[in-house]
Every structure is written in C-alpha cells, then in structure tokens.
Amino acid sequence: MSKSRGRRAGAAAETSAIGHFTGPAVVLDAQGMSLLAEHAHHPGQRRLLALLKAYEQAGYVAGISVLTIAEERRRGDAGQRLAWWRSQLVKVPVSERIAAEAGMLLDDTGLSGHRSVVDAVVVSTAASAPEQARVLSSDESHIPALAKAATGRRRGVPVE
C-alpha cells in the first residue's frame, strides 16, 4: 500500500479530507486492524489483504482513524505485525471537524454509547475523503446506518 498517494505536502489540517486523503478512501475499523495482527496463514487476514489489494488497484487509499490505534493494540509478535501494518496506512487524527461530524451522525441515526461513538468516528474519518469512501468492518448493525447517514450528509457521495 502506498501512503504517498494519500498525503498532500503542506496541506492544512482542515482542508478537504483533513489533508490525509486525496481521492477515494477505504478505512479499517478495529476488527480490520485485528485481522492484520494475525499470522499470515489466518483466513480472515488473507481475505482482508485481498480486499485491500483490490481497493488499492482501484485507486483507493487505505487508512485508519488514530482512535483505532488505541482501540486495537497487541503485544509481542502480533503487536509488531500490527505496528508494521499501521506504518503502511494513512493515519487520520480525530480533528474537531471529524468529531463534530461523528456527533451529527449519531444524532441522525439515534445511536449512543461508547461503541457507537467509536464507530461514528471511523465512519466520519472515511467521510472526510473527498471522493467515495468505504469502511471495512464486520459490524453489521451500527456501521451501515452511520454510513447511510454520512452519504446523506455528503449529498450523494457514497460512504459504504
């Protein structure tokens, strides 16, 4: 994965995509990061890597919210694998703009609670991309609702 496509030299912190994504983005949640920490023979990791490769070939930039770093952490060999994978991804800070957007997504969906807040930040991070965005998650309850709300706020630019 190429970080350079996702970075803009000298970009201001509050520019389009908060200065981190310049095109379509695919954002991993904690479950995605967890799979990256697994051994190479793990079937979930192989599927995730195939997806990431396909997205990269389609021009997407892979990233994570920095909040995911705190949410998904490991020790030992798994921690080393996770650190290496983090170095390959664009890391998007939780800015005031992303936090406010996450709050609006929670209001739009009626969701609340810690898990929903983290999910809303991940979706808001994806929605900070100037083009289409995808969230790779195994959460089939909160993420789809938040992504639908984010798409509505973006006036048709999809967040899936």
Side-chain angles (χ1 to χ4, degrees):
M1 267 158 274
S2 170
K3 282 197 303 187
S4 61
R5 278 201 53 168
R7 299 254 184 222
R8 245 191 275 170
E14 291 296 325
T15 61
S16 174
I18 321 301
H20 294 298
F21 296 123
T22 58
V26 58
V27 176
L28 283 75
D29 71 353
Q31 177 61 28
M33 289 303 296
S34 176
L35 287 173
L36 291 177
E38 297 293 339
H39 289 283
H41 65 279
H42 188 279
Q45 187 193 62
R46 287 197 310 262
R47 282 191 300 273
L48 177 60
L49 292 177
L51 271 174
L52 289 173
K53 179 93 171 148
Y55 279 119
E56 181 180 34
Q57 289 172 344
Y60 283 72
V61 175
I64 58 170
S65 167
V66 296
L67 187 57
T68 304
I69 295 170
E71 189 179 15
E72 182 56 40
R73 57 202 181 281
R74 301 281 183 94
R75 295 176 189 240
D77 290 343
Q80 290 174 351
R81 286 189 296 275
L82 196 58
W84 185 86
W85 278 109
R86 276 196 318 259
S87 76
Q88 302 303 298
L89 301 169
V90 173
K91 291 163 282 303
V92 181
V94 181
S95 65
E96 185 175 348
R97 181 174 166 187
I98 285 178
E101 179 69 19
M104 288 186 264
L105 294 177
L106 291 169
D107 289 344
D108 291 352
T109 58
L111 294 170
S112 63
H114 172 265
R115 181 172 175 207
S116 297
V117 168
V118 172
D119 289 345
V121 168
V122 169
V123 171
S124 181
T125 298
S128 72
E131 296 180 29
Q132 182 173 355
R134 301 275 171 109
V135 176
L136 292 183
S137 174
S138 62
D139 181 338
E140 295 180 8
S141 59
H142 298 117
I143 296 289
L146 292 162
K148 182 177 178 183
T151 297
R153 290 192 157 278
R154 295 179 76 193
R155 295 182 180 93
V157 178
V159 177
E160 302 171 322

